[in-house]
Amino acid sequence: MSTPTFPPGGTLIQTFKQSFVDVPIDAENDNAISTSEFLDAAESLTTMFDVLGSMAFSPVKNDMLGNVKKLRERQLAAPAESETLQALVINELKTKKHTASEGLLWLVRGLDFTCLALSQNLAKEAEELSASFRNAYGSTLKPHHGILIKPVFSAAMSACPYRKDFYPKLGTDSAQVASELRTYLAALEKIVGILKGFQGRKEAKW
């Protein structure tokens, strides 16, 4: 697992192919979220797990990328019906299938977990990443995981680097890193909130 790099004076977030900050949300169309940009942003976020630097995070990253793949395959199969995530889910469910819809459910849970952990760690400067990720796991993914998966994720939480080693890998200017990360996580939190609300509706269930 190679550690991502960033240009001098820049940050890791600036190297992402797509940021959640720039994912289009159509406020006049029930907060419809553009599928292509969202998937690119989700894929870009998994770079964070490379920075966490342990093979223990491979299952977390692979799980998220696997769910991105399910959504891309549905988008490719029915592009006109998949321009937004909400349309993709509703139209897939009409075919009596839910492969991509279930993929989105798990992807949102994974994004929620990552967003919560990093947001908490930014807010609590004395807290180590392992505590932030463990707390986030307990309130997002853990309730949905079976007994075989929980130890895998617990191992990842324990393998988190110290914050003094982690944040410099996101950029050399700590104030710039914190500012960009807050903006990025706020955008991600908004998108996760919209999708969790949508997934709670009858039309998004199977």
Side-chain angles (χ1 to χ4, degrees), residues 42-55:
E43 214 164 39
S44 296
L45 175 137
T46 64
T47 314
M48 285 281 191
F49 296 116
D50 296 336
V51 179
L52 288 164
S54 168
M55 288 303 290

Side-chain angles (χ1 to χ4, degrees), residues 24 29 39 49 58 72 106 108 123 128 134-135 185 205:
N29 184 26
L39 294 177
F49 296 116
S58 292
R72 283 201 200 283
W106 281 103
V108 169
E128 286 297 342
R134 197 170 285 113
N135 289 340
L185 292 170
K205 295 185 182 297

Side-chain angles (χ1 to χ4, degrees), residues 6 12 22 50 63 80 89 94-95 110 113 142 149 170 180:
F6 49 85
L12 183 72
D22 302 315
D50 296 336
D63 185 63
V89 168
K94 285 177 184 175
T95 70
F113 156 69
K142 190 176 181 180
I149 301 296
L170 302 186
E180 286 188 15

Side-chain angles (χ1 to χ4, degrees), residues 56-68:
F57 273 95
S58 292
V60 187
K61 178 179 178 178
N62 292 340
D63 185 63
M64 289 177 71
L65 290 176
N67 290 317
V68 167

Side-chain angles (χ1 to χ4, degrees), residues 21-154:
V21 174
D22 302 315
V23 172
I25 302 171
D26 189 349
E28 295 180 4
N29 184 26
D30 198 22
N31 284 328
I33 296 166
S34 180
T35 301
S36 294
E37 287 87 349
F38 170 84
L39 294 177
D40 283 345
E43 214 164 39
S44 296
L45 175 137
T46 64
T47 314
M48 285 281 191
F49 296 116
D50 296 336
V51 179
L52 288 164
S54 168
M55 288 303 290
F57 273 95
S58 292
V60 187
K61 178 179 178 178
N62 292 340
D63 185 63
M64 289 177 71
L65 290 176
N67 290 317
V68 167
K69 184 171 181 283
K70 289 175 186 176
L71 286 153
R72 283 201 200 283
E73 285 172 353
R74 172 61 193 175
Q75 184 188 24
L76 205 61
E81 298 178 350
S82 308
E83 289 183 0
T84 69
L85 292 169
Q86 292 92 329
L88 183 153
V89 168
I90 290 167
N91 287 312
E92 185 194 40
L93 293 179
K94 285 177 184 175
T95 70
K96 307 298 182 187
K97 294 178 181 176
H98 58 262
T99 303
S101 301
E102 189 171 5
L104 181 61
L105 181 68
W106 281 103
L107 182 55
V108 169
R109 287 170 179 167
L111 293 172
D112 193 18
F113 156 69
T114 311
C115 183
L116 198 62
L118 291 173
S119 296
Q120 180 176 317
N121 197 257
L122 265 181
K124 298 182 177 180
E125 293 184 6
E127 185 168 283
E128 286 297 342
L129 285 156
S130 56
S132 301
F133 271 92
R134 197 170 285 113
N135 289 340
Y137 179 62
S139 60
T140 55
L141 287 168
K142 190 176 181 180
H144 307 288
H145 278 168
I147 56 170
L148 296 177
I149 301 296
K150 285 176 183 174
V152 175
F153 276 73
S154 293

